[in-house]
Amino acid sequence: MPVKGSSLLSVCVLLAGLTSSLAAQDPAMKALLERFDRLEKQNLELQKQIQQLKALVPAAPVPQGETVAEPAAAKVPVVARDAPKKATEEADKSFEVGKALKMEATWKNGLWFENQDKSFRWTVGGVAQFDMSSFGAGQGDVTSIGNFNRSVDPGQSLNDGMEFRRARLRFAGQLWEQIEFWTQYEFANALDLRRRTLGISPATPPAGSQFATDINPSETVGFNEVYMGVTQLPLIGTIRIGRQRESLNFVTATSDNNQVWLERGLMFDAFNGDYNFSNGITVQRNFLEGDRAYGLLGFFQQNATNNRAFANTGDGAHAYNGRLTWLPYWNEEESAWVHVGVDYSYRNLYQDQVRYRARPMIRTGSSFETPNIANTGTIFSPDGQQIANLEFAMVADRLTFAAEYAASTVTNAYTGGLPNADGTLPAGVASRGAYFAHGGYVEMLYFLTPDTRKYRKDRPGYERVTPRNTFYFMEGENGLIFSKGAWEIGARYDYVDLNNSGINGGMSNAATAAVNWYLNSNFRIQANWSLMSRIFPVPADPTAGLTSGTFQAFGIRFNIDF
């Protein structure tokens, strides 16, 4: 027969009373009940402590999927990547590198694959940039630039056009927590055949012949950046070996994917264009609290004949680079930062030769289709070249401001060749003493939308722009829906002066205006208009193209990177 709730309560009360009565009458029973109470309290306290310990110590990662042969595991302390460090976590938290090898895919402005503890990571991505350009120049300026570049047809020196400025494929990642690799290949390279430019006979080949198309560059594939490295080394930081970007200034250190202008500018062309990528070894690291300081030392092999070559050769043709930067002000909450830096490079000249040149701020095609507007030609010297640079950049919410100044010297410079072993000068060779060239830029940009520009600490430069409102324009359930992305306007002034010591390389100035539309963090459209000038010492020499003049250009770029 079932026992009702009231009856069950009555029974419990009766049993409790009976137990208390027996305990009062029997000392042994009383002692037993007191011991039971103490044990129950201790058990509750132990359970509470176990729950607290479980909250502090996370469960070890468990491999999923099929069982595979695993490499030898090495216990490595965990480096907290995304959360604040805690003393209790540092004491107990660890993982075995190579134990959990199951990869998961994620999107971080590109496709990334990571294992559970992020000790193995790799990505496949790339960039495509399609440019359109148009030039406005009088025929006299066009012919002057053509003669300056020794073109057979000087009337074709500035041509409108369309091209893929960059088309790159990238594989990169991290292995065993500390080993990194980066392999990026360029498919928009051009091999300059230059039949008309160099005057090779016949200048205009017969139609249908195998040389009928070699007045234009021929497509080719080349190395961009290909290196391997070891990271997180005590005191040292990161060591990288292979083909790397020589970051001799702020604008060069900023990735091609994050540039705010169609071209880096006159200063870059003159002092860094021929040394953009080189084979070498670098040591770099961040230091000070919050990684607000950065230092780099580099040792490179030069090959001035081909900046895109995957092999560099030449006895003694070495370059020694250094870069030091600092963030004196850093406030992420207010989207504000200030960057300062200094760069220096000493370069033993490849085959005792060097040149300085500058191309237009907007260009399409190879250097002979959009030719040099300033150029020293070959300078000879048995001594080395020195390059020094000062950096300044800042962001205050929507506003971006930056300025740099670079100077370069070549001591004991000659034109036309080198002196004889006895010190006499062959015919056509002239001594120029110490040659000095310099240049710089100042720029200001402003977001019309509530966006800001980020900073990259591990290679100080501009970071990718991520709009607060991603662009879309489509039909929704209740009609059209629209979001504008991020819009930015800007202005920049560039100059470079290559006239010195009797070498008429030319002085060039450029004023450029920009409108940038960031539809999302992977796709942007940029438009630049530029007014440029060329200035040479008098008297002018029209046959050599040493005549001053001005021209303008407009360019637009469609850029996608992932």
Side-chain angles (χ1 to χ4, degrees), residues 241-480:
I241 302 171
R243 181 175 173 79
Q244 307 172 55
R245 185 187 300 275
E246 290 195 50
S247 301
L248 299 182
N249 44 52
F250 186 85
V251 71
T252 307
T254 297
S255 167
D256 299 320
N257 300 335
N258 304 329
Q259 290 295 324
V260 297
W261 308 90
L262 296 192
E263 302 299 338
R264 285 185 169 90
L266 302 173
M267 185 191 83
F268 165 80
D269 255 7
F271 307 119
N272 208 174
D274 287 338
Y275 317 126
N276 195 7
F277 300 100
S278 299
N279 293 338
I281 302 173
T282 60
V283 178
Q284 53 196 291
R285 68 163 295 167
N286 289 94
F287 52 97
L288 298 185
E289 183 180 359
D291 290 339
R292 289 172 61 170
Y294 169 88
L296 176 144
L297 294 174
F299 171 72
F300 295 92
Q301 177 77 39
Q302 291 198 80
N303 185 348
T305 61
N306 188 354
N307 183 46
R308 297 290 184 180
F310 66 87
N312 298 91
T313 59
D315 291 341
H318 300 142
Y320 308 87
N321 298 346
R323 186 181 188 214
L324 183 64
T325 70
W326 178 45
L327 288 167
Y329 183 77
W330 178 261
N331 191 324
E332 287 187 281
E333 293 182 359
E334 296 181 0
S335 298
W337 51 265
V338 175
H339 161 101
V340 293
V342 60
D343 314 90
Y344 176 77
S345 178
Y346 180 86
R347 319 184 73 83
N348 294 313
L349 300 183
Y350 178 77
Q351 296 182 352
D352 297 325
Q353 301 175 30
V354 67
R355 67 150 181 182
Y356 299 84
R357 59 86 181 258
R359 291 171 292 174
M361 301 296 298
I362 295 167
R363 51 183 180 261
T364 305
S366 65
S367 59
F368 77 92
E369 291 180 304
T370 308
N372 297 313
I373 56 176
N375 190 357
T376 62
T378 302
I379 298 175
F380 297 85
S381 175
D383 300 331
Q385 174 193 18
Q386 298 183 71
I387 304 173
N389 186 76
L390 297 175
E391 309 176 15
F392 179 84
M394 63 168 286
V395 162
D397 194 26
R398 300 187 185 190
L399 178 69
T400 299
F401 177 85
E404 292 192 81
Y405 173 80
S408 180
T409 62
V410 177
T411 58
N412 203 15
Y414 296 85
T415 55
L418 289 170
N420 297 319
D422 60 2
T424 60
L425 298 180
V429 176
S431 175
R432 302 297 182 178
Y435 174 77
F436 176 80
H438 64 111
Y441 72 87
V442 58
E443 66 185 25
M444 182 178 292
L445 300 106
Y446 185 79
F447 280 101
L448 302 176
T449 52
D451 294 280
T452 189
R453 176 164 281 102
K454 301 297 184 181
Y455 179 86
R456 180 173 176 175
K457 289 184 176 180
D458 62 343
R459 188 168 74 183
Y462 292 139
E463 183 57 281
R464 177 190 304 269
V465 172
T466 302
R468 293 189 180 183
N469 298 300
T470 298
F471 166 80
Y472 55 83
F473 181 48
M474 62 183 69
E475 294 184 0
E477 294 182 357
N478 300 317
L480 296 177

Side-chain angles (χ1 to χ4, degrees), residues 59-64 81 95 99-104 113-121:
V62 179
Q64 301 178 6
R81 298 180 179 84
F95 63 82
K99 190 69 174 178
L101 296 177
K102 180 179 176 60
M103 308 288 284
E104 294 185 354
F113 297 88
E114 301 175 341
N115 70 333
Q116 197 168 15
D117 55 38
K118 298 185 180 181
S119 58
F120 287 78
R121 309 170 65 222

Side-chain angles (χ1 to χ4, degrees), residues 209-230:
S209 73
Q210 60 177 324
F211 304 111
T213 60
D214 69 356
I215 60 173
N216 290 316
S218 177
E219 297 87 354
T220 185
V221 178
F223 278 32
N224 181 245
E225 284 187 273
V226 180
Y227 62 79
M228 61 207 79
V230 183

